[in-house]
Each structure stands twice: as C-alpha cells, then as structure tokens.
Coordinates of all heavy atoms in Angstrom, one line a residue:
M4 N -21.5 -35.7 20.7 CA -21.5 -34.7 19.7 C -20.1 -34.0 19.7 O -19.6 -33.6 20.7 CB -22.6 -33.7 19.8 CG -22.6 -32.7 18.7 SD -24.1 -31.7 18.9 CE -23.4 -30.1 18.8
T5 N -19.5 -33.9 18.5 CA -18.2 -33.2 18.4 C -18.3 -31.7 18.4 O -19.2 -31.2 17.6 CB -17.4 -33.7 17.2 OG1 -17.4 -35.1 17.2 CG2 -16.0 -33.2 17.2
T6 N -17.6 -31.0 19.1 CA -17.6 -29.6 19.1 C -16.6 -29.1 18.1 O -15.4 -29.4 18.2 CB -17.3 -29.0 20.5 OG1 -18.3 -29.5 21.4 CG2 -17.4 -27.5 20.5
K7 N -17.0 -28.2 17.2 CA -16.0 -27.6 16.2 C -15.3 -26.4 16.8 O -15.9 -25.7 17.6 CB -16.8 -27.1 15.0 CG -17.3 -28.2 14.1 CD -16.2 -28.7 13.3 CE -16.7 -29.7 12.2 NZ -15.6 -30.2 11.4
E8 N -14.1 -26.2 16.5 CA -13.3 -25.1 16.8 C -13.9 -23.9 16.1 O -14.1 -24.0 14.9 CB -11.8 -25.2 16.5 CG -11.0 -24.0 16.5 CD -11.0 -23.4 17.9 OE1 -10.9 -24.1 18.9 OE2 -11.1 -22.1 18.1
T9 N -14.3 -22.8 16.8 CA -14.9 -21.7 16.1 C -14.0 -20.5 15.8 O -14.3 -19.6 15.1 CB -16.1 -21.2 17.0 OG1 -15.6 -20.7 18.2 CG2 -17.1 -22.3 17.2
G10 N -12.8 -20.5 16.5 CA -11.9 -19.4 16.3 C -12.2 -18.2 17.2 O -11.5 -17.2 17.2
G11 N -13.3 -18.3 17.9 CA -13.7 -17.2 18.8 C -14.5 -16.1 18.0 O -14.8 -16.3 16.9
P12 N -14.8 -15.0 18.7 CA -15.6 -14.0 18.1 C -14.8 -13.3 16.9 O -13.7 -13.0 17.0 CB -15.9 -13.0 19.2 CG -15.0 -13.3 20.3 CD -14.5 -14.7 20.1
A13 N -15.6 -13.0 15.9 CA -15.0 -12.2 14.8 C -15.1 -10.7 14.9 O -14.2 -10.0 14.6 CB -15.7 -12.6 13.4
F14 N -16.2 -10.3 15.5 CA -16.4 -8.8 15.7 C -16.9 -8.5 17.1 O -18.0 -8.0 17.2 CB -17.4 -8.3 14.6 CG -17.0 -8.6 13.2 CD1 -17.6 -9.6 12.5 CD2 -15.9 -7.9 12.6 CE1 -17.2 -9.9 11.2 CE2 -15.5 -8.1 11.3 CZ -16.1 -9.1 10.6
P15 N -16.1 -8.8 18.1 CA -16.6 -8.4 19.5 C -16.6 -6.9 19.7 O -15.8 -6.2 19.0 CB -15.5 -9.1 20.4 CG -14.3 -9.1 19.5 CD -14.8 -9.3 18.1
F16 N -17.4 -6.5 20.5 CA -17.4 -5.1 20.9 C -18.0 -4.9 22.3 O -18.7 -5.7 22.8 CB -18.2 -4.2 19.9 CG -19.7 -4.4 19.8 CD1 -20.5 -3.8 20.6 CD2 -20.2 -5.4 18.9 CE1 -21.9 -4.0 20.6 CE2 -21.5 -5.6 18.8 CZ -22.4 -4.9 19.7
A17 N -17.7 -3.8 22.9 CA -18.3 -3.4 24.2 C -18.5 -1.9 24.2 O -17.7 -1.1 23.7 CB -17.3 -3.9 25.3
F18 N -19.6 -1.5 24.9 CA -19.8 -0.1 25.1 C -19.6 0.1 26.6 O -20.3 -0.4 27.5 CB -21.3 0.2 24.8 CG -21.6 0.1 23.3 CD1 -22.4 -0.9 22.9 CD2 -21.1 1.1 22.4 CE1 -22.7 -1.0 21.5 CE2 -21.4 1.0 21.1 CZ -22.2 -0.1 20.6
S19 N -18.5 0.8 26.9 CA -18.2 1.0 28.3 C -19.2 1.8 29.1 O -19.5 1.5 30.3 CB -16.8 1.6 28.5 OG -16.8 2.8 27.8
D20 N -19.8 2.8 28.4 CA -20.7 3.6 29.2 C -22.1 2.9 29.4 O -22.8 3.2 30.4 CB -21.0 4.9 28.4 CG -21.5 4.7 27.0 OD1 -21.3 3.6 26.4 OD2 -22.1 5.6 26.4
E21 N -22.4 1.9 28.6 CA -23.6 1.1 28.8 C -23.3 -0.3 29.3 O -24.3 -1.0 29.7 CB -24.4 0.9 27.4 CG -24.8 2.2 26.8 CD -25.4 2.0 25.5 OE1 -25.8 0.9 25.1 OE2 -25.5 3.0 24.7
A22 N -22.1 -0.6 29.4 CA -21.7 -2.0 29.9 C -22.3 -3.1 29.1 O -22.6 -4.1 29.6 CB -22.0 -2.1 31.4
R23 N -22.6 -2.8 27.8 CA -23.2 -3.8 26.9 C -22.0 -4.4 26.1 O -21.2 -3.8 25.5 CB -24.1 -3.1 25.9 CG -25.0 -4.1 25.2 CD -26.0 -3.3 24.4 NE -25.8 -3.7 23.0 CZ -26.2 -2.9 22.0 NH1 -26.7 -1.8 22.1 NH2 -25.9 -3.3 20.8
V24 N -22.0 -5.8 26.1 CA -21.0 -6.5 25.4 C -21.6 -7.5 24.4 O -22.7 -8.1 24.7 CB -20.2 -7.3 26.4 CG1 -19.1 -8.2 25.7 CG2 -19.5 -6.4 27.4
S25 N -21.0 -7.6 23.3 CA -21.4 -8.6 22.3 C -20.2 -9.3 21.7 O -19.2 -8.7 21.4 CB -22.2 -7.9 21.1 OG -22.4 -8.9 20.1
D26 N -20.3 -10.6 21.7 CA -19.2 -11.4 21.1 C -19.2 -11.3 19.6 O -18.2 -11.7 18.9 CB -19.3 -12.8 21.5 CG -18.9 -13.0 23.0 OD1 -18.2 -12.1 23.5 OD2 -19.3 -14.0 23.6
G27 N -20.3 -10.9 19.0 CA -20.4 -10.9 17.5 C -20.5 -12.3 17.0 O -20.7 -13.3 17.7
M28 N -20.3 -12.5 15.7 CA -20.4 -13.8 15.1 C -19.0 -14.5 15.3 O -18.0 -13.9 15.6 CB -20.7 -13.7 13.6 CG -19.5 -13.1 12.8 SD -19.7 -13.0 11.0 CE -21.2 -13.7 10.6
E29 N -19.1 -15.8 15.2 CA -17.9 -16.6 15.4 C -17.0 -16.5 14.1 O -17.5 -16.3 13.0 CB -18.2 -18.1 15.6 CG -19.0 -18.4 16.9 CD -18.2 -18.2 18.1 OE1 -16.9 -18.2 18.0 OE2 -18.8 -18.0 19.2
L30 N -15.7 -16.6 14.3 CA -14.8 -16.4 13.2 C -15.0 -17.5 12.1 O -15.0 -17.3 10.9 CB -13.4 -16.5 13.7 CG -12.3 -16.2 12.7 CD1 -12.5 -14.8 12.1 CD2 -10.9 -16.2 13.4
R31 N -15.4 -18.7 12.6 CA -15.7 -19.8 11.6 C -16.8 -19.5 10.7 O -16.8 -19.7 9.5 CB -16.0 -21.1 12.4 CG -16.3 -22.3 11.5 CD -16.4 -23.6 12.4 NE -16.6 -24.7 11.6 CZ -17.7 -25.4 11.4 NH1 -18.8 -25.0 12.1 NH2 -17.8 -26.4 10.6
D32 N -17.9 -18.8 11.3 CA -19.0 -18.4 10.5 C -18.6 -17.3 9.5 O -19.1 -17.3 8.4 CB -20.2 -18.0 11.4 CG -20.8 -19.1 12.2 OD1 -20.8 -20.3 11.7 OD2 -21.3 -18.9 13.3
Y33 N -17.8 -16.4 9.9 CA -17.3 -15.3 9.1 C -16.5 -15.9 7.9 O -16.7 -15.5 6.7 CB -16.5 -14.3 9.9 CG -15.9 -13.2 9.0 CD1 -16.8 -12.2 8.5 CD2 -14.6 -13.2 8.7 CE1 -16.2 -11.2 7.7 CE2 -14.1 -12.2 7.9 CZ -14.9 -11.2 7.4 OH -14.4 -10.2 6.6
F34 N -15.6 -16.8 8.2 CA -14.8 -17.4 7.2 C -15.7 -18.2 6.2 O -15.5 -18.1 5.0 CB -13.8 -18.4 7.7 CG -12.6 -17.8 8.3 CD1 -11.7 -18.5 9.1 CD2 -12.3 -16.4 8.1 CE1 -10.6 -18.0 9.7 CE2 -11.1 -15.9 8.6 CZ -10.3 -16.6 9.4
A35 N -16.7 -18.9 6.7 CA -17.6 -19.6 5.8 C -18.4 -18.7 4.9 O -18.7 -18.9 3.7 CB -18.6 -20.5 6.6
A36 N -18.9 -17.6 5.5 CA -19.6 -16.6 4.7 C -18.7 -16.0 3.6 O -19.2 -15.8 2.4 CB -20.1 -15.5 5.6
Q37 N -17.5 -15.7 3.9 CA -16.6 -15.2 2.9 C -16.3 -16.3 1.8 O -16.2 -16.0 0.6 CB -15.3 -14.8 3.5 CG -15.4 -13.6 4.4 CD -16.0 -12.4 3.7 OE1 -15.5 -11.9 2.7 NE2 -17.1 -11.9 4.2
A38 N -16.2 -17.6 2.2 CA -16.0 -18.7 1.3 C -17.2 -18.8 0.3 O -17.0 -19.2 -0.8 CB -15.7 -20.0 2.0
L39 N -18.4 -18.5 0.8 CA -19.6 -18.6 0.0 C -19.5 -17.7 -1.2 O -19.9 -18.0 -2.3 CB -20.8 -18.3 0.8 CG -22.2 -18.5 0.1 CD1 -22.3 -19.9 -0.3 CD2 -23.3 -18.1 1.1
I40 N -18.9 -16.5 -1.0 CA -18.7 -15.5 -2.1 C -17.8 -16.2 -3.2 O -18.1 -16.1 -4.4 CB -18.1 -14.2 -1.6 CG1 -19.1 -13.6 -0.6 CG2 -17.8 -13.3 -2.7 CD1 -18.5 -12.4 0.2
A41 N -16.7 -16.8 -2.7 CA -15.8 -17.4 -3.7 C -16.4 -18.6 -4.4 O -16.3 -18.8 -5.6 CB -14.5 -17.8 -3.0
Y42 N -17.2 -19.3 -3.6 CA -17.9 -20.5 -4.1 C -18.8 -20.2 -5.3 O -18.8 -20.9 -6.3 CB -18.7 -21.2 -3.0 CG -19.4 -22.5 -3.4 CD1 -18.6 -23.7 -3.4 CD2 -20.7 -22.5 -3.7 CE1 -19.3 -24.9 -3.7 CE2 -21.3 -23.7 -4.0 CZ -20.6 -24.9 -4.0 OH -21.2 -26.1 -4.3
H43 N -19.5 -19.1 -5.2 CA -20.4 -18.7 -6.2 C -19.8 -17.8 -7.3 O -20.4 -17.6 -8.4 CB -21.7 -18.0 -5.7 CG -22.6 -18.9 -4.9 ND1 -23.2 -20.0 -5.5 CD2 -23.0 -18.9 -3.6 CE1 -23.9 -20.6 -4.6 NE2 -23.8 -19.9 -3.4
S44 N -18.6 -17.4 -7.1 CA -18.0 -16.4 -8.1 C -17.7 -17.1 -9.4 O -17.6 -16.4 -10.4 CB -16.7 -15.8 -7.5 OG -15.7 -16.8 -7.4
D45 N -17.6 -18.4 -9.4 CA -17.3 -19.1 -10.7 C -18.5 -19.7 -11.3 O -18.4 -20.5 -12.2 CB -16.2 -20.1 -10.5 CG -16.6 -21.3 -9.6 OD1 -17.7 -21.3 -9.1 OD2 -15.8 -22.3 -9.5
G46 N -19.7 -19.3 -10.8 CA -20.9 -19.8 -11.4 C -21.4 -21.1 -10.8 O -22.3 -21.8 -11.3
N47 N -20.7 -21.6 -9.7 CA -21.0 -22.8 -9.1 C -22.3 -22.7 -8.2 O -22.2 -22.0 -7.2 CB -19.9 -23.3 -8.3 CG -20.1 -24.7 -7.8 OD1 -21.1 -25.4 -8.0 ND2 -19.1 -25.2 -7.0
F48 N -23.4 -23.2 -8.7 CA -24.6 -23.1 -7.9 C -25.2 -24.5 -7.7 O -26.1 -25.0 -8.4 CB -25.7 -22.3 -8.6 CG -25.3 -20.8 -8.7 CD1 -24.7 -20.3 -9.8 CD2 -25.5 -20.0 -7.6 CE1 -24.3 -19.0 -9.8 CE2 -25.1 -18.7 -7.6 CZ -24.5 -18.2 -8.7
S49 N -24.6 -25.3 -6.8 CA -25.1 -26.6 -6.5 C -26.1 -26.5 -5.4 O -26.6 -25.4 -5.1 CB -23.9 -27.5 -6.1 OG -23.3 -27.0 -4.9
S50 N -26.4 -27.6 -4.8 CA -27.5 -27.6 -3.7 C -27.0 -26.8 -2.5 O -25.8 -26.6 -2.3 CB -27.7 -29.0 -3.2 OG -26.7 -29.5 -2.4
P51 N -27.9 -26.2 -1.8 CA -27.5 -25.4 -0.6 C -26.7 -26.2 0.4 O -25.7 -25.7 1.0 CB -28.8 -25.0 0.0 CG -29.8 -25.0 -1.1 CD -29.3 -26.1 -2.0
E52 N -27.0 -27.5 0.5 CA -26.2 -28.4 1.4 C -24.8 -28.6 1.0 O -23.9 -28.5 1.8 CB -26.9 -29.8 1.6 CG -28.3 -29.7 2.2 CD -29.4 -29.3 1.3 OE1 -29.2 -29.2 0.0 OE2 -30.5 -29.0 1.8
D53 N -24.6 -28.8 -0.3 CA -23.2 -28.9 -0.9 C -22.5 -27.6 -0.7 O -21.3 -27.6 -0.3 CB -23.3 -29.3 -2.4 CG -23.7 -30.7 -2.6 OD1 -23.7 -31.5 -1.7 OD2 -24.0 -31.0 -3.8
A54 N -23.1 -26.5 -0.9 CA -22.4 -25.2 -0.8 C -22.0 -25.0 0.7 O -20.9 -24.6 1.0 CB -23.4 -24.1 -1.2
A55 N -22.9 -25.3 1.6 CA -22.6 -25.1 3.0 C -21.5 -26.0 3.5 O -20.6 -25.6 4.2 CB -23.9 -25.3 3.9
N56 N -21.6 -27.2 3.0 CA -20.5 -28.2 3.4 C -19.1 -27.7 2.9 O -18.1 -27.8 3.6 CB -20.8 -29.6 2.9 CG -21.9 -30.3 3.7 OD1 -22.1 -30.0 4.8 ND2 -22.7 -31.1 3.0
W57 N -19.1 -27.3 1.7 CA -17.8 -26.8 1.1 C -17.3 -25.5 1.8 O -16.2 -25.5 2.2 CB -18.0 -26.5 -0.4 CG -16.7 -26.1 -1.1 CD1 -15.8 -26.9 -1.6 CD2 -16.2 -24.7 -1.2 NE1 -14.7 -26.2 -2.1 CE2 -15.0 -24.9 -1.9 CE3 -16.7 -23.5 -0.9 CZ2 -14.2 -23.8 -2.2 CZ3 -15.9 -22.4 -1.2 CH2 -14.7 -22.5 -1.9
C58 N -18.2 -24.6 2.1 CA -17.9 -23.4 2.8 C -17.3 -23.6 4.2 O -16.3 -23.0 4.6 CB -19.0 -22.4 2.8 SG -19.4 -21.8 1.2
Y59 N -18.0 -24.5 4.9 CA -17.5 -24.8 6.3 C -16.2 -25.6 6.3 O -15.4 -25.5 7.2 CB -18.6 -25.4 7.1 CG -19.5 -24.3 7.8 CD1 -20.7 -24.0 7.2 CD2 -19.0 -23.6 8.8 CE1 -21.5 -23.0 7.8 CE2 -19.8 -22.5 9.4 CZ -21.0 -22.3 8.8 OH -21.7 -21.2 9.4
S60 N -16.0 -26.4 5.2 CA -14.8 -27.1 5.1 C -13.6 -26.1 4.9 O -12.5 -26.3 5.4 CB -14.8 -28.1 3.9 OG -15.7 -29.2 4.2
M61 N -13.9 -25.1 4.0 CA -12.9 -24.1 3.8 C -12.6 -23.3 5.1 O -11.5 -23.0 5.4 CB -13.3 -23.1 2.7 CG -13.3 -23.8 1.3 SD -11.7 -24.3 0.8 CE -10.9 -22.8 0.7
A62 N -13.7 -23.0 5.8 CA -13.5 -22.2 7.1 C -12.7 -23.0 8.1 O -11.8 -22.5 8.7 CB -14.9 -21.9 7.7
D63 N -13.0 -24.3 8.2 CA -12.2 -25.2 9.1 C -10.7 -25.2 8.7 O -9.9 -25.2 9.5 CB -12.8 -26.6 9.1 CG -14.1 -26.7 9.8 OD1 -14.5 -25.7 10.5 OD2 -14.9 -27.6 9.6
A64 N -10.5 -25.3 7.4 CA -9.1 -25.3 6.9 C -8.4 -23.9 7.2 O -7.2 -23.9 7.6 CB -9.1 -25.5 5.4
M65 N -9.1 -22.8 7.1 CA -8.6 -21.5 7.4 C -8.2 -21.4 8.9 O -7.2 -20.9 9.3 CB -9.5 -20.4 7.0 CG -9.5 -20.2 5.5 SD -10.4 -18.8 5.0 CE -12.0 -19.5 4.7
L66 N -9.1 -22.0 9.7 CA -8.9 -22.0 11.2 C -7.6 -22.8 11.5 O -6.8 -22.4 12.3 CB -10.1 -22.5 11.9 CG -11.3 -21.5 12.0 CD1 -12.5 -22.2 12.6 CD2 -10.9 -20.3 12.8
E67 N -7.5 -23.9 10.8 CA -6.4 -24.8 11.1 C -5.1 -24.1 10.6 O -4.0 -24.3 11.3 CB -6.6 -26.1 10.3 CG -5.5 -27.2 10.5 CD -5.4 -27.6 12.0 OE1 -6.5 -27.7 12.7 OE2 -4.3 -28.0 12.4
A68 N -5.1 -23.4 9.5 CA -3.9 -22.7 9.0 C -3.5 -21.6 10.0 O -2.3 -21.3 9.9 CB -4.2 -22.2 7.6
R69 N -4.4 -21.1 10.8 CA -4.0 -20.1 11.7 C -3.2 -20.6 12.9 O -2.6 -19.8 13.6 CB -5.3 -19.4 12.3 CG -6.1 -18.7 11.2 CD -7.3 -18.0 11.8 NE -6.9 -16.8 12.5 CZ -7.4 -16.5 13.7 NH1 -8.2 -17.3 14.4 NH2 -7.0 -15.4 14.3
K70 N -3.2 -21.9 13.1 CA -2.5 -22.4 14.3 C -1.0 -22.3 14.2 O -0.4 -22.3 13.2 CB -2.9 -23.9 14.5 CG -4.4 -24.0 15.0 CD -4.7 -25.4 15.2 CE -6.2 -25.4 15.7 NZ -6.6 -26.8 15.9

C-alpha cells in the first residue's frame, strides 16, 4: 500500500498545564475539505466518490506546490 504525504498536522495544540497534546487533523484533509467548498460553489454536485477524488487530487497538488 502506498502512503500519501499528509503535510503533517494542520491544527496541533498542547496544554502545558495538562500535558495534553493533539496533532489535530492532517493538512491534506484540511486542504481537501477546503477544496470541497470550491467544488460545490459552482453547482457541481456529482457522486460523492467523484467529489472526494477531485478534492484529494487538489489537496495533493497543494501539498506538492508547497515543496
């Protein structure tokens, strides 16, 4: 199985007084969620699978552009 580059955590946080740490969501998932907004903004409502594939393709392209 191929591992996708995730870009690391999008919203990590830590509470020093509680020593609680969360990595938050992966940057790739955040980019895909933002792409979903753009995908539907023009009235494009295809199958959920097509939408997810397009959004994650955009997220992967955004991660690549960051390099």
Side-chain angles (χ1 to χ4, degrees):
M4 182 171 129
T5 307
T6 303
K7 288 281 187 179
E8 169 61 40
T9 65
F14 302 106
F16 67 88
F18 295 107
S19 59
D20 58 338
E21 297 175 18
R23 193 173 119 205
V24 176
S25 172
D26 288 337
M28 69 180 355
E29 296 291 342
L30 190 55
R31 182 174 184 253
D32 292 329
Y33 177 74
F34 283 165
Q37 296 301 304
L39 185 61
I40 297 166
Y42 183 82
H43 288 304
S44 68
D45 67 354
N47 188 359
F48 293 98
S49 60
S50 74
E52 294 81 11
D53 287 346
N56 288 332
W57 185 85
C58 291
Y59 276 103
S60 292
M61 290 300 294
D63 291 341
M65 286 187 268
L66 287 171
E67 186 62 32
R69 296 179 76 224
K70 292 182 179 177

